């Protein structure tokens, strides 16, 4: 039970950080990591090139890592 509540807390914190990202980066993170979509499928939905999506995904992850580091994760 402790493991579950800890995972849930981490997920809630992570989602709060994601919500602080610009909306277009939030969309990519949710589609890629929560919906487990491939970049080519995200490309069809968003109309953005795969290369753009990959660089924006990388940027979003970097920003989330900075937030995590700032919070002492």
């Amino acid at each position: 039970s402790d493991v579950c509540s800890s995972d849930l807390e981490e997920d809630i914190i992570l989602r709060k950080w994601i919500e602080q990202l610009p909306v277009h980066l939030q969309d990519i993170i949710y589609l890629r990591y929560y919906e487990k979509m491939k970049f080519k499928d995200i490309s069809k939905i968003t109309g953005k090139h795969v290369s753009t999506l990959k660089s924006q995904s990388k940027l979003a992850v970097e920003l989330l890592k900075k937030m995590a580091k700032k919070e002492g994760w």
Side-chain angles (χ1 to χ4, degrees):
S1 148
D2 286 348
V3 172
C4 267
S5 66
S6 156
D7 286 351
L8 182 62
E9 284 169 24
E10 285 181 12
D11 190 53
I12 290 167
I13 292 166
L14 187 56
R15 284 175 187 263
K16 281 183 183 170
W17 291 343
I18 292 169
E19 286 169 10
Q20 292 175 39
L21 295 172
V23 175
H24 69 285
L25 296 181
Q26 288 181 36
D27 292 344
I28 294 167
I29 290 291
Y30 279 119
L31 293 172
R32 179 80 176 138
Y33 297 100
Y34 285 89
E35 300 297 326
K36 306 278 192 264
M37 291 179 73
K38 292 184 167 78
F39 283 117
K40 67 176 184 177
D41 297 325
I42 299 171
S43 175
K44 288 175 190 167
I45 293 172
T46 62
K48 293 180 180 175
H49 290 284
V50 169
S51 57
T52 303
L53 292 170
K54 285 182 178 179
S55 62
Q56 288 181 341
S57 174
K58 190 176 177 183
L59 172 64
V61 170
E62 291 298 317
L63 291 169
L64 291 169
K65 282 181 181 176
K66 282 182 184 170
M67 290 180 202
K69 199 171 183 181
K70 201 169 129 185
E71 296 292 325
W73 271 33

